[in-house]
Amino acid sequence: MEVIEKAPAKINLGLDVLYKRPDGYHELEMIMTSIDLSDRLTFSPLPNKKIIIQTDNGFLPRDKKNNIYQTIEIMQKAYGFSDGVLVHLTKNIPVAAGLGGGSSDAAATFRGLNRLFGLNATLNDMVKLSIPVGTDVPFCLYGKTALVKGLGDIVQPLEHSIPQCWVVLVKPKLSISTPKVFSRMRLEELHHPNIRALKTAIEQQDYQQMTKELGNSLEGYTLNKYPSVQGIKDKMLAFGADAAVMSGSGPTVFALCQHYSRAVRVANGLRGFCDEVYLVRTLNQ
């Protein structure tokens, strides 16, 4: 028996860093949405709690450093089953790109094991178990479009997904450490997007207003340190994108286009500057 799960990427339509908490982490307020760029995971049972991860991506660890591996161990402990798991991962989401690929793989693993072994875990059960794996995993379990608060553990799905549009993703040849960004940024210098106004625009299905309210508090640090990321954003707008924003801590920048012809023009224009360019739709389940 095998179970197949898709793991969609996410983008941050809005990301605001509010303050540093007493525990040393930062309080966040974000709006995320899922996009039609997905990894594919296939799960099969193995004997004796053995965990094997097979993948076509040579950059990913296959041991306890991998989110999939960690998730399997968490589920084994929480539900006390003695089976092992063979996971085959087809990786389509760029690694270390601010697109939540590892978190979405973990979320897909929670769902896949739940189905494979008939664990009857609820969404709330899986969300609670997922928090130690990564801050984006709870959202990836919910999917669609949601307001996300705290450390990423408070997820409030919106009644409407964002207005249907096209997304152009550009991943430059950079790897950016999220912990390093948070440790080196200065809170007093951050730009704070209006998350409430962004949420209202989505709820009203007002595409034009939504594009005006997009924003990311982490852009200032990353764009200053890596001017090539700013260059990508500028080129997207020059080629006619309705809006362009960095996702997460970067380095991926995404552009939104209401019309396919405009999205194609933006994507083709960027392919002359970057190797990793993706043209996808939003996921409005």
Side-chain angles (χ1 to χ4, degrees), residues 145-166:
T145 303
L147 174 67
V148 183
K149 297 181 179 181
L151 300 176
D153 54 322
I154 303 170
V155 182
Q156 301 172 5
L158 302 189
E159 184 177 349
H160 298 286
S161 291
I162 73 170
Q164 189 75 69
C165 58
W166 296 90

Side-chain angles (χ1 to χ4, degrees), residues 95-282:
V95 177
L99 298 173
S103 295
S104 194
D105 291 343
T109 302
F110 278 110
R111 295 192 300 268
L113 267 59
N114 196 29
R115 293 171 54 206
L116 183 65
F117 299 118
L119 303 177
N120 296 317
T122 65
L123 177 58
N124 285 339
D125 293 336
M126 292 186 286
V127 166
K128 289 177 183 177
L129 291 172
S130 75
I131 293 169
V133 182
T135 55
D136 287 338
V137 184
F139 166 77
C140 292
L141 281 164
Y142 279 89
K144 302 184 182 180
T145 303
L147 174 67
V148 183
K149 297 181 179 181
L151 300 176
D153 54 322
I154 303 170
V155 182
Q156 301 172 5
L158 302 189
E159 184 177 349
H160 298 286
S161 291
I162 73 170
Q164 189 75 69
C165 58
W166 296 90
V167 183
V168 180
L169 301 165
V170 176
K171 162 66 167 64
K173 290 184 177 179
L174 295 171
S175 292
I176 294 178
S177 166
T178 299
K180 186 176 291 186
V181 171
F182 276 98
S183 66
R184 295 185 178 181
M185 69 181 184
R186 295 180 179 272
L187 283 169
E188 64 275 11
E189 297 176 358
L190 297 184
H191 163 71
H192 297 282
N194 190 334
I195 300 296
R196 180 177 296 181
L198 175 59
K199 178 175 178 285
T200 298
I202 295 171
E203 289 172 337
Q204 295 177 351
Q205 295 292 281
D206 186 338
Y207 176 81
Q208 299 300 330
Q209 189 62 32
M210 179 188 75
T211 58
K212 293 177 183 178
E213 300 295 349
L214 301 181
N216 184 341
S217 285
L218 302 180
E219 269 195 352
Y221 173 85
T222 301
L223 300 187
N224 182 61
K225 187 169 179 61
Y226 303 98
S228 60
V229 180
Q230 178 68 63
I232 291 169
K233 184 175 177 179
D234 293 342
K235 286 182 173 66
M236 285 176 158
L237 295 172
F239 286 126
D242 297 323
V245 182
M246 188 182 77
S247 185
S249 58
T252 298
V253 180
F254 70 89
L256 297 187
C257 299
Q258 195 167 23
H259 302 291
Y260 178 69
S261 58
R262 184 72 60 86
V264 170
R265 187 168 78 186
V266 174
N268 288 341
L270 269 297
R271 287 193 175 102
F273 299 94
C274 292
D275 295 331
E276 289 192 79
V277 180
Y278 306 84
L279 174 55
V280 299
R281 296 216 78 171
T282 50

Side-chain angles (χ1 to χ4, degrees), residues 14-110:
L15 191 163
D16 193 11
V17 182
L18 302 179
Y19 55 86
K20 193 168 186 178
R21 297 157 46 119
D23 59 11
Y25 293 98
H26 289 82
E27 186 77 11
L28 304 175
E29 188 173 38
M30 305 174 283
I31 292 183
M32 299 185 190
T33 195
S34 301
I35 58 174
D36 193 19
L37 174 66
S38 301
D39 293 343
R40 176 186 167 99
L41 294 87
T42 304
F43 303 91
S44 305
L46 288 175
N48 303 323
K49 290 193 175 182
K50 192 172 186 179
I51 300 173
I52 298 176
I53 299 173
Q54 299 173 340
T55 179
D56 56 353
N57 190 301
F59 295 102
L60 290 176
R62 305 183 190 188
D63 54 13
K64 292 179 183 289
K65 296 179 182 178
N66 188 293
N67 285 2
I68 296 170
Y69 198 107
Q70 295 168 20
T71 300
I72 295 171
E73 288 193 321
I74 286 171
M75 291 290 271
Q76 286 175 332
K77 182 177 180 180
Y79 289 91
F81 58 91
S82 59
D83 300 84
V85 186
L86 169 65
V87 185
H88 181 79
L89 168 65
T90 302
K91 194 71 181 163
N92 298 312
I93 303 172
V95 177
L99 298 173
S103 295
S104 194
D105 291 343
T109 302
F110 278 110

